[in-house]
Structure formats: C-alpha cells, structure tokens
Amino acid sequence: MTTPLLELRQITVSFDGFLALRDLNLSLQSGELRAVIGPNGAGKTTFLDVITGKTKPTEGQVVFKGRSLVGTREHRIARLGIGRKFQSPRVFEKLSVQENLALAVSRPKQPLDLLFGRLTADQRDQVQRLMEIVNLQNRADWLAGSLSHGQKQWLEIAMLVGQDPDLLLVDEPVAGLTDEETDLTADLLKSLAGEHTVLVIEHDMEFIRRLNSPVTVLHQGHVLCEGSMDQIQQDPQVIEVYLGTQEEM
Ligand code: ADP
Ligand code: MG
C-alpha cells in the first residue's frame, strides 16, 4: 500500500471538555473519492475544520503528503493543496461566470478591472476547460448571481478545481438541489476523482449511492464503520444510530 495522501491519527477535539471528535482515525489514498456520513452533531464539520486548520486538535496528528499540519495556519494549508467547498455557495455574485473563474486561476490576485485582459493564453484555456467541466460554457457572461443554486455550487467547485488542489473537501454540496442537479453533482465529483482526491460530506443517501465510493460513518466524533454503501446499510450499529436519530438512511 502506498503512503496515504491524508492521515488523521487519533484526533481528539475538546470544546471545553465536550469531545466533538474522539480518537478519530482516517486515511485517504491519492485519487480516492470518499463519502463521509453521520447524523447531525456527529462531528463532520469539525473534522473538516481540523484538516483545514480552522480548529486545532486537542490531541493527535493530521499528516498531509507526509508532513504534519497541526499548528499550520489555514491559508498555508490551503496553499499546500487542500481546497474546501463550504456548504453555501461562495461565488462573487456581481461577477460573471468567467470572471469568477479567472480570479480562481490567476495567481497572484490582480485588481479586478485589469483582470480578464491580463490572463495568459493558458489561463484563458483553463477558464474555458473549467466551464466545460461544470457545463457552464453557455453561461460564460452570466452574472454568477443569476445562476440557479445548483449552478452556483458547480461554479464554486470549478473555482476550487481551478486552484488545482490535491485534496478537495466538499461539505454537503446537494442540500437544496433538484434531483437532476443532485445526480449531475455526483457525476461531477466522480469525474474529478483520480486526478484529485475528493472527500464529500453528505446526508442525501441517493447521492451517496450514486457516488459509488467507500463510505465512512461518523458517530459521536468517532468512526463507526467504513465500507461500501451496501455494507454500511446492513451494519446493525449504523442502523441503530440512524434509527435513534430519526434521520433517513
Ligand atoms: P456535524 O457537522 O456532524 O453536524 P459538528 O462538527 O458541527 O457536527 O459538531 C459536532 C459537535 O460539536 C456538536 O455537538 C456541536 O454542537 C459541537 N460543537 C461544534 N463546534 C463547537 C464549538 N465551537 N464549541 C462547542 N461545541 C461545538
Ligand atoms: Mg456540519
């Protein structure tokens, strides 16, 4: 087995004595697509916060590409190759689709009014390719604010991909999406795996099934089990946890 891209080793996060995560172990191989599920309060968002450096673990190690991330600042961790998609879309509503993407691919950041003319030919190609990946090529000049909720989510995913992270963390991408948008989002994330490593947190079980990836179940800050969707749906512990919370499985 090759060295994992990301490893969480015995992570504990205590908020004034309340253990949001306790002795959490998880490892991701490069190129993998992984779904993480768990009832509300299971610790899913805290788990992402620990990876991105927003929350410092009380105990344990986060190892990315062989180096420890604990104590490294958030922006630095992002630059090391970890991109995060938050639950609600964070796009620039008053900029067009291609301007949003131009911002994502241009480094260092330039003043907005100078921006588009100053992209290199390569960067312009990249913007075009990103629009095609998320099927927004016919919306290039639309203001991001006029897109549907699903299209905004895809635009933000494309912006993240434009920064070319090794690891993409995606928090509940299909909340509020139509069934068709949900299916397209699953297909999009599947197509990104391989070239990127993708970790998705979701509640929507149809979506998770369509991802057709290994699933990690979190419960009370701890990994309850890991396996295929079929395996975890038959796991008595998982059934009990979901029945106990009245959430749909
Ligand atoms: P999930 O995303 O799975 O719903 P969270 O990671 O948001 O769960 O939260 C896990 C638990 O930790 C919850 O019980 C939540 O109330 C608690 N928690 C999260 N953040 C804080 C914080 N900053 N201070 C105190 N408790 C917190
Ligand atoms: Mg959460």
Side-chain angles (χ1 to χ4, degrees):
M1 195 138 212
T2 49
T3 314
L5 180 74
L6 177 78
E7 256 189 297
L8 276 73
R9 298 185 190 148
Q10 299 178 299
I11 293 289
T12 293
V13 171
S14 165
F15 292 117
D16 295 326
F18 173 80
L19 298 185
L21 299 178
R22 55 187 175 94
D23 193 23
L24 186 141
N25 293 285
L26 184 135
S27 120
L28 277 184
Q29 292 297 325
S30 196
E32 193 179 336
L33 172 61
R34 175 76 63 92
V36 174
I37 67 170
N40 272 327
K44 302 182 297 296
T45 298
T46 306
F47 154 79
L48 292 188
D49 290 345
V50 164
I51 299 171
T52 60
K54 190 171 174 204
T55 297
K56 197 174 168 192
T58 315
E59 281 176 60
Q61 278 298 326
V62 180
V63 180
F64 179 63
K65 295 196 265 190
R67 66 172 274 181
S68 169
L69 294 186
V70 174
T72 307
R73 304 251 296 273
E74 269 188 282
H75 68 276
R76 184 87 193 99
I77 290 177
R79 261 189 237 139
L80 290 171
I82 299 183
R84 178 175 189 172
K85 161 90 186 69
F86 285 87
Q87 210 169 324
S88 51
R90 294 185 172 188
V91 296
F92 298 101
E93 304 244 329
K94 299 214 160 114
L95 296 182
S96 71
V97 166
Q98 60 183 331
E99 284 166 342
N100 269 279
L101 291 170
L103 264 182
V105 303
S106 66
R107 261 177 265 158
K109 302 278 183 262
Q110 300 151 356
L112 283 187
D113 50 349
L114 295 177
L115 188 76
F116 212 65
R118 295 226 174 161
L119 287 187
T120 63
D122 269 359
Q123 287 171 329
R124 262 194 292 271
D125 287 348
Q126 211 190 339
V127 166
Q128 187 59 36
R129 192 180 66 90
L130 290 168
M131 287 193 289
E132 284 163 15
I133 289 175
V134 295
N135 205 17
L136 289 174
Q137 65 273 30
N138 298 326
R139 300 280 183 273
D141 296 319
W142 283 39
L143 294 187
S146 67
L147 299 174
S148 75
H149 182 60
Q151 289 171 328
K152 283 182 195 170
Q153 297 285 44
W154 301 333
L155 175 57
E156 196 189 354
I157 291 170
M159 288 166 73
L160 271 183
V161 173
Q163 292 158 35
D164 201 23
D166 302 290
L167 174 62
L168 256 160
L169 306 172
V170 188
D171 199 354
E172 299 197 26
V174 302
L177 265 54
T178 64
D179 288 350
E180 195 193 347
E181 287 176 332
T182 297
D183 286 352
L184 287 170
T185 305
D187 296 345
L188 167 63
L189 294 174
K190 273 160 77 170
S191 76
L192 294 175
E195 197 168 330
H196 305 269
T197 308
V198 183
L199 189 151
V200 196
I201 285 180
E202 243 316 325
H203 276 297
D204 184 320
M205 292 300 160
E206 281 312 306
F207 169 81
I208 300 282
R209 182 168 286 289
R210 192 170 172 112
L211 287 180
N212 193 23
S213 71
V215 181
T216 299
V217 185
L218 281 193
H219 176 53
Q220 294 179 348
H222 196 74
V223 174
L224 191 66
C225 71
E226 284 180 348
S228 69
M229 188 68 176
D230 286 332
Q231 284 166 340
I232 62 139
Q233 275 188 316
Q234 285 161 22
D235 185 299
Q237 280 183 296
V238 174
I239 293 168
E240 195 182 316
V241 162
Y242 273 86
L243 287 179
T245 62
Q246 306 291 316
E247 280 185 50
E248 262 179 66
M249 176 82 212

